Amino acid sequence: AARALAAVPEAALTESQRQAVQRSINEYLASEMTNADRPESWLNIGLLYTDQRQFDPAEAAYRTALELQPTFTQAAVNLADLYRIQGRDGDGESTLRQALERDPRNATAHHALGLLLIRQQRLPEALTALAEAARLGADNPRYSYVYAVALHDAGQSKLAIQMLETVLKKHPNDRDALLALAMFQREAGQFDTARDYARRLATLEPDNPDVQALLRQAL
């Protein structure tokens, strides 16, 4: 409950509600501190402070997690995301690259680095990072989808389509992959194929007006 309510603005709560939320947050923090020798507890504390937009204690918590276990890459990923929120992508990049030196096969860190590089419009470097995330995290369709979209944006539509088709072999009902394939195939002039993907997506989401609009465009 504390985690769920931490992001609610105080102005949206009554005084009694604010007091109740603060009590639950205090209890949550006390509970996590009973395992203060574990990096996972400091990660949870950092997430709570991030939800509250208390950036300094959030950063301190993530850093404590990394001091306890330098290879706890999830804390580094969350720290880099905290820097993103603050407009400090330079610090975020350093954090992620240091994490990858210690844990080079971490798909989540490669993915986070790729997204950061895209924000900085460093597409060739981003493609390298996203490709590694898709390779190492082959069971996570999101990584391959994001890589495919980046390939498409880089003018490599054929390779993007191949990547998405590979996703569908493992995850035949993946919404993002179906939607992207319908759009990319339509752009490539492959209207029959685009229509097939749009129909598959419409079967999964028959009441989605955006999907119905896409299907009409493909007909």
Side-chain angles (χ1 to χ4, degrees):
R3 280 296 312 279
L5 293 170
V8 177
E10 287 191 1
L13 303 173
T14 65
E15 180 59 30
S16 61
Q17 288 172 333
R18 282 196 292 271
Q19 292 177 4
V21 169
Q22 190 57 55
R23 283 196 301 271
S24 68
I25 288 173
N26 291 342
E27 291 172 5
Y28 180 83
L29 291 172
S31 174
E32 291 295 344
M33 288 303 294
T34 62
N35 294 306
D37 60 331
R38 300 293 305 159
E40 293 86 355
S41 291
W42 287 102
L43 173 65
N44 292 335
I45 291 170
L47 290 169
L48 176 73
Y49 282 133
T50 300
D51 288 340
Q52 293 185 303
R53 301 189 71 80
Q54 296 190 45
F55 298 143
D56 288 345
E59 180 176 351
Y62 294 141
R63 288 193 172 280
T64 299
L66 289 168
E67 288 170 5
L68 289 170
Q69 185 177 327
T71 57
F72 188 45
T73 306
Q74 188 58 52
V77 170
N78 283 94
L79 178 57
D81 192 58
L82 178 69
Y83 290 144
R84 174 192 62 80
I85 296 170
Q86 297 175 278
R88 298 169 57 188
D89 267 344
D91 292 329
E93 181 176 353
S94 298
T95 298
L96 290 171
R97 291 195 184 279
Q98 289 172 10
L100 285 168
E101 288 179 3
R102 303 186 186 100
D103 188 12
R105 296 186 58 80
N106 190 286
T108 302
H110 282 289
H111 182 72
L113 178 60
L115 294 177
L116 183 152
L117 293 168
I118 284 177
R119 290 194 299 273
Q120 295 188 336
Q121 300 182 350
R122 294 158 61 186
L123 190 54
E125 294 175 79
L127 287 173
T128 299
L130 294 174
E132 194 68 358
R135 183 181 71 83
L136 294 170
D139 291 334
N140 188 329
R142 183 68 183 176
Y143 295 159
S144 295
Y145 163 75
V146 172
Y147 177 43
V149 171
L151 286 169
H152 175 266
D153 291 347
Q156 302 183 50
S157 296
K158 184 176 181 180
L159 187 55
I161 289 171
Q162 292 174 352
M163 176 63 62
L164 292 168
E165 289 172 342
T166 300
V167 170
L168 288 185
K169 289 178 182 178
K170 290 186 176 181
H171 308 277
N173 294 328
D174 186 84
R175 178 193 184 280
D176 290 334
L178 286 168
L179 178 60
L181 277 167
M183 296 174 64
F184 293 172
Q185 292 285 21
R186 187 186 65 193
E187 289 177 8
Q190 301 298 318
F191 299 110
D192 289 342
T193 305
R195 189 179 307 117
D196 289 342
Y197 287 125
R199 284 174 174 161
R200 287 172 62 178
L201 187 56
T203 300
L204 295 174
E205 301 183 7
D207 298 324
N208 187 324
D210 294 333
V211 172
Q212 293 301 324
L214 177 64
L215 181 57
R216 289 193 295 272
Q217 293 170 10
L219 292 175

